[in-house]
Coordinates of all heavy atoms in Angstrom, one line a residue:
M28 N 7.3 -29.4 21.4 CA 8.7 -28.8 21.2 C 9.2 -29.1 19.9 O 9.1 -30.3 19.4 CB 9.6 -29.4 22.4 CG 11.0 -28.9 22.3 SD 12.0 -29.3 23.7 CE 12.5 -27.7 24.2
L29 N 9.9 -28.2 19.2 CA 10.4 -28.4 17.9 C 11.8 -29.2 18.0 O 12.6 -29.0 18.9 CB 10.7 -27.0 17.3 CG 9.6 -26.2 16.8 CD1 10.2 -24.9 16.2 CD2 8.7 -26.9 15.8
S30 N 11.9 -30.0 17.1 CA 13.2 -30.8 17.1 C 14.3 -29.9 16.5 O 14.0 -28.9 15.8 CB 13.1 -32.0 16.2 OG 13.1 -31.6 14.8
P31 N 15.5 -30.0 17.0 CA 16.6 -29.1 16.5 C 16.7 -29.2 14.9 O 17.0 -28.1 14.4 CB 17.9 -29.8 17.1 CG 17.4 -30.5 18.3 CD 16.0 -31.0 18.0
A32 N 16.4 -30.3 14.3 CA 16.4 -30.3 12.8 C 15.4 -29.5 12.2 O 15.6 -28.8 11.3 CB 16.3 -31.8 12.4
L33 N 14.1 -29.5 12.8 CA 13.1 -28.7 12.2 C 13.4 -27.2 12.5 O 13.1 -26.4 11.7 CB 11.8 -29.0 13.0 CG 10.4 -28.3 12.5 CD1 10.3 -28.4 11.0 CD2 9.3 -28.8 13.2
K34 N 13.9 -26.8 13.7 CA 14.3 -25.4 14.0 C 15.3 -25.0 13.0 O 15.2 -23.8 12.4 CB 14.8 -25.3 15.4 CG 15.3 -23.9 15.7 CD 14.7 -23.4 17.0 CE 15.2 -22.0 17.3 NZ 15.1 -21.0 16.4
T35 N 16.3 -25.7 12.7 CA 17.3 -25.4 11.7 C 16.7 -25.2 10.3 O 17.0 -24.2 9.7 CB 18.4 -26.4 11.7 OG1 19.0 -26.6 13.0 CG2 19.5 -26.2 10.6
A36 N 15.8 -26.1 10.0 CA 15.1 -26.0 8.7 C 14.4 -24.7 8.6 O 14.4 -24.0 7.6 CB 14.3 -27.1 8.4
I37 N 13.6 -24.3 9.6 CA 12.8 -23.1 9.7 C 13.7 -21.9 9.6 O 13.5 -20.9 8.9 CB 11.9 -23.1 11.0 CG1 10.8 -24.1 10.8 CG2 11.3 -21.7 11.1 CD1 10.0 -24.4 12.0
D38 N 14.8 -21.8 10.4 CA 15.7 -20.8 10.4 C 16.3 -20.5 9.0 O 16.6 -19.3 8.7 CB 16.9 -21.0 11.4 CG 16.4 -20.9 12.8 OD1 15.3 -20.3 13.1 OD2 17.2 -21.4 13.7
A39 N 16.4 -21.6 8.2 CA 17.0 -21.4 6.9 C 16.0 -20.8 5.8 O 16.5 -20.4 4.7 CB 17.6 -22.7 6.4
L40 N 14.8 -20.7 6.1 CA 13.7 -20.4 5.2 C 13.8 -18.8 5.0 O 14.3 -18.1 5.8 CB 12.3 -20.7 5.7 CG 12.0 -22.1 5.8 CD1 10.6 -22.3 6.5 CD2 11.9 -22.8 4.5
S41 N 13.3 -18.4 3.8 CA 13.2 -17.0 3.6 C 12.2 -16.4 4.4 O 11.3 -17.1 5.0 CB 13.0 -16.8 2.1 OG 11.6 -17.2 1.7
V42 N 12.0 -15.1 4.5 CA 10.9 -14.5 5.2 C 9.6 -14.9 4.6 O 8.7 -15.2 5.4 CB 11.0 -12.9 5.2 CG1 9.9 -12.2 5.7 CG2 12.3 -12.5 5.9
Q43 N 9.4 -14.9 3.3 CA 8.2 -15.3 2.6 C 7.9 -16.7 3.0 O 6.7 -16.9 3.3 CB 8.4 -15.2 1.1 CG 7.2 -15.7 0.3 CD 5.9 -15.0 0.6 OE1 5.8 -13.7 0.5 NE2 4.9 -15.7 1.0
D44 N 8.8 -17.6 2.9 CA 8.5 -19.0 3.3 C 8.1 -19.2 4.7 O 7.3 -20.0 5.1 CB 9.8 -19.9 3.0 CG 10.0 -20.1 1.4 OD1 8.9 -19.8 0.7 OD2 11.0 -20.5 1.1
K45 N 8.8 -18.4 5.6 CA 8.4 -18.4 7.0 C 7.0 -18.0 7.2 O 6.3 -18.6 8.1 CB 9.4 -17.6 7.9 CG 10.7 -18.3 8.0 CD 11.7 -17.3 8.8 CE 13.1 -18.0 8.9 NZ 14.0 -17.0 9.6
L46 N 6.6 -16.9 6.5 CA 5.2 -16.5 6.7 C 4.3 -17.5 6.1 O 3.1 -17.6 6.7 CB 5.1 -15.1 5.9 CG 5.8 -13.9 6.6 CD1 5.8 -12.7 5.7 CD2 5.1 -13.6 7.9
D47 N 4.6 -18.2 5.0 CA 3.7 -19.2 4.6 C 3.6 -20.4 5.5 O 2.5 -20.9 5.7 CB 4.3 -19.8 3.2 CG 4.2 -18.8 2.0 OD1 3.5 -17.8 2.1 OD2 4.9 -19.0 1.1
V48 N 4.7 -20.8 6.2 CA 4.6 -21.8 7.2 C 3.7 -21.3 8.4 O 2.9 -22.0 8.9 CB 6.0 -22.2 7.7 CG1 5.9 -23.0 8.9 CG2 6.8 -22.8 6.6
F49 N 3.9 -20.1 8.8 CA 3.1 -19.5 9.8 C 1.6 -19.5 9.5 O 0.8 -19.9 10.4 CB 3.6 -18.0 10.1 CG 2.6 -17.3 11.0 CD1 2.6 -17.6 12.3 CD2 1.8 -16.4 10.4 CE1 1.7 -16.8 13.1 CE2 0.8 -15.7 11.2 CZ 0.7 -15.9 12.6
E50 N 1.4 -19.1 8.3 CA -0.1 -19.1 7.9 C -0.7 -20.6 7.9 O -1.9 -20.8 8.3 CB -0.2 -18.4 6.6 CG -0.1 -17.0 6.6 CD -0.2 -16.3 5.3 OE1 -0.5 -17.0 4.2 OE2 -0.2 -15.1 5.2
T51 N 0.1 -21.5 7.5 CA -0.4 -22.9 7.4 C -0.6 -23.4 8.8 O -1.7 -24.0 9.1 CB 0.6 -23.8 6.8 OG1 0.8 -23.3 5.4 CG2 0.3 -25.2 6.8
I52 N 0.3 -23.1 9.7 CA 0.2 -23.6 11.2 C -1.0 -22.8 11.8 O -1.9 -23.4 12.4 CB 1.4 -23.3 12.0 CG1 2.6 -24.3 11.4 CG2 1.2 -23.5 13.4 CD1 3.9 -24.0 11.9
R53 N -1.1 -21.5 11.6 CA -2.2 -20.7 12.2 C -3.5 -21.2 11.7 O -4.4 -21.4 12.5 CB -2.0 -19.2 11.8 CG -3.2 -18.3 12.3 CD -3.3 -17.1 11.6 NE -3.8 -17.4 10.2 CZ -3.6 -16.5 9.2 NH1 -3.0 -15.3 9.4 NH2 -4.0 -16.8 8.0
D54 N -3.6 -21.5 10.4 CA -4.9 -22.0 9.8 C -5.3 -23.3 10.4 O -6.5 -23.7 10.5 CB -4.9 -22.0 8.3 CG -4.9 -20.6 7.7 OD1 -5.1 -19.6 8.4 OD2 -4.6 -20.4 6.5
S55 N -4.3 -24.2 10.7 CA -4.6 -25.5 11.2 C -5.0 -25.5 12.7 O -5.7 -26.3 13.1 CB -3.3 -26.5 11.1 OG -2.3 -26.1 12.1
V56 N -4.6 -24.4 13.4 CA -5.0 -24.2 14.8 C -6.3 -23.4 14.9 O -7.1 -23.7 15.7 CB -3.8 -23.4 15.6 CG1 -4.3 -23.1 17.0 CG2 -2.6 -24.2 15.5
M57 N -6.4 -22.4 14.1 CA -7.5 -21.5 14.1 C -8.0 -21.1 12.7 O -7.4 -20.2 12.2 CB -7.3 -20.2 15.0 CG -8.5 -19.4 15.1 SD -8.4 -17.8 16.0 CE -6.8 -17.8 16.7
P58 N -8.8 -21.9 12.1 CA -9.3 -21.6 10.7 C -9.8 -20.1 10.6 O -10.4 -19.6 11.6 CB -10.4 -22.6 10.5 CG -10.2 -23.7 11.5 CD -9.5 -23.0 12.7
A59 N -9.6 -19.5 9.5 CA -10.0 -18.1 9.3 C -11.4 -17.9 9.7 O -11.9 -16.9 10.2 CB -9.7 -17.7 7.8
S60 N -12.3 -18.8 9.4 CA -13.7 -18.8 9.7 C -14.1 -18.7 11.2 O -15.1 -18.1 11.6 CB -14.5 -20.0 9.1 OG -14.0 -21.2 9.8
E61 N -13.1 -19.1 12.0 CA -13.3 -19.1 13.5 C -12.5 -17.9 14.1 O -12.7 -17.5 15.3 CB -12.8 -20.4 14.1 CG -13.6 -21.5 13.7 CD -13.1 -22.8 14.3 OE1 -12.3 -22.7 15.3 OE2 -13.5 -23.9 13.8
S62 N -11.6 -17.2 13.4 CA -10.8 -16.2 14.0 C -11.5 -14.9 14.2 O -11.1 -14.1 15.0 CB -9.5 -16.0 13.2 OG -9.8 -15.4 11.9
G63 N -12.5 -14.6 13.3 CA -13.2 -13.3 13.4 C -12.4 -12.2 12.6 O -12.7 -11.1 12.6
F64 N -11.2 -12.6 12.1 CA -10.5 -11.6 11.3 C -10.7 -11.9 9.8 O -10.6 -13.0 9.4 CB -8.9 -11.7 11.6 CG -8.6 -11.4 13.1 CD1 -8.3 -12.3 14.0 CD2 -8.7 -10.0 13.5 CE1 -7.9 -12.0 15.2 CE2 -8.5 -9.7 14.8 CZ -8.1 -10.8 15.8
P65 N -10.7 -10.8 9.0 CA -10.9 -11.0 7.6 C -9.5 -11.4 7.0 O -8.5 -11.2 7.5 CB -11.3 -9.6 7.1 CG -10.8 -8.7 8.1 CD -10.9 -9.5 9.3
E66 N -9.6 -12.2 5.9 CA -8.4 -12.6 5.2 C -7.7 -11.3 4.6 O -8.5 -10.4 4.2 CB -8.6 -13.6 4.1 CG -9.0 -14.9 4.7 CD -7.8 -15.6 5.4 OE1 -6.7 -15.6 5.0 OE2 -8.1 -16.1 6.6
L67 N -6.5 -11.3 4.5 CA -5.7 -10.2 3.8 C -6.0 -10.2 2.4 O -6.0 -11.2 1.8 CB -4.2 -10.2 4.1 CG -3.8 -10.1 5.6 CD1 -2.3 -10.3 5.7 CD2 -4.2 -8.7 6.1
T68 N -6.0 -9.0 1.8 CA -6.0 -9.0 0.3 C -4.6 -9.3 -0.2 O -3.6 -9.1 0.6 CB -6.5 -7.6 -0.2 OG1 -5.6 -6.6 0.2 CG2 -7.9 -7.2 0.4
E69 N -4.4 -9.5 -1.4 CA -3.1 -9.7 -2.0 C -2.3 -8.5 -1.8 O -1.1 -8.5 -1.6 CB -3.1 -10.1 -3.4 CG -1.9 -10.7 -3.9 CD -1.4 -11.9 -3.0 OE1 -2.2 -12.8 -2.7 OE2 -0.1 -12.0 -2.8
R70 N -2.9 -7.3 -1.9 CA -2.1 -6.0 -1.8 C -1.6 -5.8 -0.3 O -0.5 -5.4 -0.1 CB -3.0 -4.9 -2.3 CG -2.4 -3.5 -2.2 CD -3.3 -2.4 -2.8 NE -2.6 -1.2 -2.8 CZ -3.2 -0.1 -2.9 NH1 -4.5 0.0 -3.2 NH2 -2.6 1.1 -2.7
Q71 N -2.6 -6.2 0.6 CA -2.1 -6.0 2.0 C -1.0 -7.0 2.4 O -0.1 -6.6 3.0 CB -3.3 -6.3 2.9 CG -4.4 -5.2 2.8 CD -5.7 -5.7 3.5 OE1 -6.1 -6.8 3.4 NE2 -6.5 -4.7 4.2
R72 N -1.2 -8.2 1.9 CA -0.1 -9.2 2.1 C 1.2 -8.8 1.6 O 2.2 -8.9 2.2 CB -0.6 -10.5 1.5 CG 0.4 -11.7 1.7 CD -0.2 -13.0 1.1 NE 0.9 -13.9 0.8 CZ 1.2 -14.8 1.7 NH1 0.5 -14.9 2.9 NH2 2.1 -15.7 1.5
A73 N 1.2 -8.2 0.3 CA 2.4 -7.8 -0.4 C 3.1 -6.7 0.5 O 4.3 -6.6 0.6 CB 2.1 -7.3 -1.8
E74 N 2.3 -5.8 1.0 CA 2.8 -4.7 1.8 C 3.4 -5.2 3.1 O 4.5 -4.7 3.5 CB 1.7 -3.7 2.1 CG 2.1 -2.4 3.0 CD 3.2 -1.6 2.4 OE1 3.5 -1.7 1.1 OE2 3.8 -0.8 3.2
L75 N 2.8 -6.1 3.8 CA 3.3 -6.7 4.9 C 4.6 -7.4 4.7 O 5.6 -7.2 5.5 CB 2.3 -7.6 5.6 CG 1.1 -6.9 6.3 CD1 0.2 -8.0 6.8 CD2 1.6 -6.1 7.5
L76 N 4.7 -8.1 3.6 CA 5.9 -8.8 3.3 C 7.0 -7.8 2.9 O 8.2 -8.0 3.2 CB 5.7 -9.7 2.0 CG 4.9 -10.9 2.3 CD1 4.6 -11.7 1.0 CD2 5.6 -11.8 3.3
R77 N 6.7 -6.7 2.3 CA 7.6 -5.6 1.9 C 8.3 -5.1 3.2 O 9.4 -4.8 3.4 CB 7.0 -4.5 1.0 CG 8.0 -3.3 0.6 CD 7.3 -2.2 0.2 NE 6.6 -1.5 1.1 CZ 7.1 -0.7 2.1 NH1 8.4 -0.5 2.2 NH2 6.3 0.0 2.9
R78 N 7.3 -4.8 4.2 CA 7.8 -4.2 5.5 C 8.6 -5.1 6.3 O 9.5 -4.8 6.9 CB 6.5 -3.7 6.3 CG 5.8 -2.6 5.7 CD 4.7 -2.2 6.6 NE 3.8 -1.1 5.9 CZ 3.0 -0.4 6.6 NH1 2.7 -0.6 7.9 NH2 2.3 0.5 6.0
A79 N 8.2 -6.4 6.2 CA 9.0 -7.5 6.9 C 10.4 -7.5 6.3 O 11.4 -7.6 7.1 CB 8.3 -8.8 6.9
A80 N 10.5 -7.5 5.0 CA 11.8 -7.6 4.3 C 12.7 -6.4 4.7 O 13.9 -6.5 4.9 CB 11.6 -7.7 2.9
Q81 N 12.0 -5.3 4.7 CA 12.7 -3.9 5.1 C 13.3 -4.1 6.5 O 14.3 -3.7 6.9 CB 11.8 -2.8 5.0 CG 12.5 -1.5 5.3 CD 11.5 -0.3 5.2 OE1 10.4 -0.5 4.9 NE2 12.0 0.9 5.4
A82 N 12.5 -4.7 7.4 CA 12.9 -4.7 8.8 C 14.0 -5.7 9.0 O 15.0 -5.5 9.8 CB 11.7 -5.3 9.7
V83 N 14.0 -6.8 8.2 CA 15.2 -7.7 8.2 C 16.4 -7.1 7.7 O 17.5 -7.2 8.2 CB 14.8 -9.0 7.4 CG1 16.0 -9.8 7.3 CG2 13.7 -9.8 8.2
A84 N 16.2 -6.3 6.6 CA 17.4 -5.7 5.9 C 18.0 -4.5 6.7 O 19.2 -4.3 6.7 CB 17.0 -5.1 4.5
D85 N 17.1 -3.8 7.5 CA 17.6 -2.7 8.3 C 16.9 -2.7 9.7 O 15.9 -2.0 9.9 CB 17.3 -1.4 7.5 CG 17.9 -0.2 8.2 OD1 18.6 -0.3 9.2 OD2 17.6 1.0 7.8
P86 N 17.4 -3.5 10.6 CA 16.7 -3.7 11.8 C 16.6 -2.4 12.7 O 15.7 -2.3 13.5 CB 17.5 -4.7 12.6 CG 18.5 -5.3 11.6 CD 18.6 -4.4 10.4
G87 N 17.5 -1.4 12.5 CA 17.4 -0.2 13.2 C 16.4 0.7 12.7 O 16.2 1.8 13.4
S88 N 15.9 0.5 11.6 CA 14.9 1.5 11.1 C 13.6 1.3 11.7 O 13.3 0.3 12.4 CB 14.7 1.3 9.6 OG 14.0 0.1 9.2
G89 N 12.7 2.3 11.6 CA 11.3 2.2 12.1 C 11.3 2.6 13.6 O 12.3 3.1 14.2
R90 N 10.1 2.4 14.2 CA 10.0 2.7 15.6 C 9.4 1.5 16.3 O 8.6 0.7 15.8 CB 9.0 3.9 15.8 CG 9.6 5.2 15.1 CD 8.7 6.3 15.4 NE 7.4 6.1 14.8 CZ 6.3 6.8 15.1 NH1 6.3 7.8 16.0 NH2 5.1 6.6 14.5
S91 N 9.7 1.4 17.6 CA 9.1 0.3 18.4 C 7.6 0.6 18.6 O 7.2 1.7 18.6 CB 9.8 0.2 19.7 OG 9.5 1.3 20.5
W92 N 6.9 -0.5 19.1 CA 5.5 -0.2 19.4 C 5.3 0.7 20.5 O 4.4 1.6 20.5 CB 4.8 -1.6 19.7 CG 3.4 -1.5 20.0 CD1 2.8 -1.9 21.2 CD2 2.3 -0.8 19.3 NE1 1.4 -1.6 21.2 CE2 1.1 -1.0 20.0 CE3 2.3 -0.1 18.0 CZ2 -0.1 -0.4 19.6 CZ3 1.1 0.3 17.6 CH2 -0.1 0.2 18.4
A93 N 6.2 0.7 21.5 CA 6.2 1.7 22.6 C 6.3 3.1 22.2 O 5.6 4.0 22.6 CB 7.2 1.4 23.7
E94 N 7.2 3.3 21.2 CA 7.4 4.7 20.6 C 6.1 5.1 19.9 O 5.7 6.3 20.0 CB 8.5 4.7 19.7 CG 10.0 4.5 20.4 CD 11.0 4.3 19.4 OE1 10.9 3.6 18.4 OE2 12.1 4.9 19.7
V95 N 5.5 4.2 19.1 CA 4.3 4.6 18.4 C 3.2 4.9 19.4 O 2.5 5.9 19.2 CB 3.9 3.4 17.4 CG1 2.5 3.6 16.8 CG2 4.9 3.2 16.4
R96 N 3.0 4.1 20.4 CA 1.9 4.4 21.4 C 2.2 5.7 22.1 O 1.3 6.5 22.4 CB 1.8 3.3 22.4 CG 1.1 2.1 22.0 CD 0.9 1.1 23.1 NE 2.3 0.8 23.7 CZ 2.6 -0.1 24.6 NH1 1.5 -0.8 25.1 NH2 3.7 -0.3 25.0
A97 N 3.5 6.0 22.4 CA 3.8 7.3 23.1 C 3.4 8.5 22.2 O 2.9 9.4 22.6 CB 5.2 7.3 23.5
G98 N 3.7 8.3 20.9 CA 3.4 9.4 20.0 C 1.8 9.5 19.8 O 1.3 10.7 19.6
L99 N 1.1 8.4 19.9 CA -0.4 8.6 19.7 C -1.0 9.2 21.0 O -2.1 9.9 20.9 CB -0.9 7.2 19.5 CG -0.6 6.6 18.2 CD1 -1.1 5.1 18.2 CD2 -1.2 7.4 17.0
A100 N -0.3 9.0 22.2 CA -0.8 9.5 23.4 C -0.6 11.1 23.6 O -1.3 11.7 24.3 CB -0.1 8.9 24.6
R101 N 0.3 11.5 22.8 CA 0.6 13.0 22.8 C -0.5 13.8 22.3 O -1.3 13.6 21.5 CB 1.8 13.3 22.1 CG 3.0 12.9 22.9 CD 4.3 13.4 22.2 NE 5.3 12.3 22.4 CZ 6.1 12.0 21.4 NH1 6.2 12.5 20.3 NH2 6.9 10.9 21.6

């Protein structure tokens, strides 16, 4: 369980810093060599960060995963 102080510190981080923390934790739990997933290129990473920042700036934009799946099913 996270301590309240650690949760507060994480909440204060930028999106980029939160993703860096996430990657560090993910890699400590499941190294890339064991995950079966290729590492992202710098261009892919930049695009994901751009999209994450856009979602934070405008939470109502975009579509939910359910909407995307429904569109694909048509």
Side-chain angles (χ1 to χ4, degrees):
M28 176 173 239
L29 291 179
S30 71
L33 182 55
K34 174 128 177 55
T35 299
I37 291 170
D38 289 343
L40 295 173
S41 68
V42 171
Q43 172 63 53
D44 288 341
K45 287 177 183 177
L46 289 170
D47 289 343
V48 169
F49 167 76
E50 287 178 358
T51 299
I52 293 169
R53 180 200 64 201
D54 291 346
S55 73
V56 174
M57 184 182 349
S60 62
E61 296 177 16
S62 71
F64 296 109
E66 288 296 313
L67 295 175
T68 66
E69 197 54 43
R70 184 174 176 193
Q71 290 168 325
R72 181 179 162 89
E74 177 62 14
L75 288 174
L76 291 173
R77 183 193 68 76
R78 291 180 185 197
Q81 180 182 3
V83 169
D85 187 5
S88 69
R90 297 184 298 162
S91 69
W92 179 235
E94 292 169 321
V95 172
R96 279 188 304 187
L99 292 172
R101 286 187 220 141

